[in-house]
Amino acid sequence: MIKEILIMAKSEKLGNYCIAGFDMATKQWIRVVSDKDSMQNAVPRDIKYDNGGDVNVLDIVEINFIKPTPTQAQSENWLYDSKIPWKKCGTVRLEDVIKWRDTDNCNKVFRNLGKVVFPDSASGESLLFLKIENPKVRKKTVESYYYKNVLETRLYIDFSYKGNQYEELPIRDPEICERYRGCENGDYSLGLQSAYAVFSLPEIFENTGKHHKILAKLFI
């Protein structure tokens, strides 16, 4: 099955990518997943178009899918055919996306004000395109998720949405991570009253038994 997808996020996932966007025919979310269980079905980092070009956010892409593969937490998942190269059909501007589809309609980011969602609260909605207020990047050193007594430097975002404050959601946007790679720990104002962002709810993190909200893409 061939679908045209407007790429809205290409976030880091286990050294590879989590790629998601809007179905051009239905305006519904689709998360592109692979059959590679060893990397939690991420899209390989070397993904290219049929002409060798890189896949970028806001590209319109023709992808061959095999079947939908929804999970309890992620109803949007579709398995793509890795034997058929992706084809770029065009590129759009963010303002055109907003006119075409607008943001998602929700009162809270994944139904609560915290950083996580418990498994019994997961509804299958795992992607959101939202307009947030007063975004701020925080860089800090914390203990590794995976290795005991190992410290790692990570980036987080603080912001408000519909009058509620959200703090320290992990950033997985490669462009934002690169932008602050050489910066010291601390809080960084983006100088924006508002910004558009894509949030994602990954599958359960084994170390905590919860779904951890992440920032997949920040449009600045």
Side-chain angles (χ1 to χ4, degrees):
M1 180 184 300
I2 298 176
K3 290 179 177 288
E4 282 192 356
I5 307 299
L6 169 57
I7 305 297
M8 292 296 291
K10 180 184 175 185
S11 57
E12 294 282 354
K13 182 177 181 181
L14 299 177
N16 296 283
Y17 292 121
C18 178
I19 295 179
F22 298 135
D23 185 328
M24 292 295 294
T26 67
K27 300 184 182 181
Q28 299 299 307
W29 278 109
I30 283 185
R31 178 184 284 102
V32 186
V33 299
S34 73
D35 59 1
K36 300 182 183 300
D37 294 335
S38 61
M39 53 193 206
Q40 296 181 13
N41 305 111
V43 176
R45 196 171 190 87
D46 59 0
I47 187 72
K48 298 282 185 181
Y49 290 129
D50 54 358
N51 63 3
D54 291 327
V55 178
N56 294 310
V57 172
L58 297 180
D59 285 352
I60 298 175
V61 186
E62 186 179 279
I63 303 175
N64 285 261
F65 290 97
I66 297 173
K67 61 181 180 179
T69 55
T71 68
Q72 180 179 350
Q74 298 180 336
S75 63
E76 310 91 345
N77 294 1
W78 277 74
L79 175 66
Y80 82 97
D81 189 341
S82 60
K83 297 177 183 178
I84 302 177
W86 297 9
K87 180 181 179 181
K88 181 178 178 178
C89 302
T91 301
V92 299
R93 300 174 303 170
L94 178 62
E95 49 264 43
D96 296 326
V97 178
I98 297 165
K99 292 178 182 177
W100 172 68
R101 186 190 183 275
D102 207 349
T103 55
D104 288 305
N105 183 23
C106 63
N107 291 321
K108 299 175 183 177
V109 179
F110 299 122
R111 300 169 297 283
N112 68 42
L113 302 180
K115 304 176 186 178
V116 301
V117 173
F118 288 86
D120 58 1
S121 298
S123 68
E125 177 190 55
S126 67
L127 292 161
L128 291 171
F129 176 48
L130 303 175
K131 184 178 182 180
I132 60 175
E133 309 296 329
N134 301 312
K136 179 177 65 177
V137 170
R138 176 171 296 160
K139 188 172 186 179
K140 61 188 295 189
T141 300
V142 296
E143 187 171 350
S144 171
Y145 288 138
Y146 305 99
Y147 305 104
K148 190 175 182 180
N149 298 324
V150 174
L151 297 179
E152 297 177 344
T153 301
R154 298 201 199 100
L155 286 178
Y156 301 90
I157 187 167
D158 295 352
F159 62 95
S160 60
Y161 175 69
K162 291 196 173 180
N164 295 310
Q165 184 68 21
Y166 295 82
E167 295 185 350
E168 294 194 356
L169 270 59
I171 296 174
R172 295 290 182 269
D173 181 337
E175 293 182 359
I176 300 297
C177 291
E178 180 62 29
R179 178 172 176 171
Y180 290 92
R181 185 179 304 278
C183 296
E184 300 290 333
N185 285 0
D187 292 345
Y188 294 89
S189 171
L190 297 173
L192 300 172
Q193 290 185 342
S194 64
Y196 289 89
V198 174
F199 294 93
S200 178
L201 193 68
E203 293 288 359
I204 293 172
F205 184 48
E206 292 183 0
N207 290 26
T208 64
K210 304 169 187 174
H211 303 277
H212 290 249
K213 305 174 187 180
I214 67 167
L215 174 74
K217 176 62 183 177
L218 182 65
F219 294 93
I220 58 174

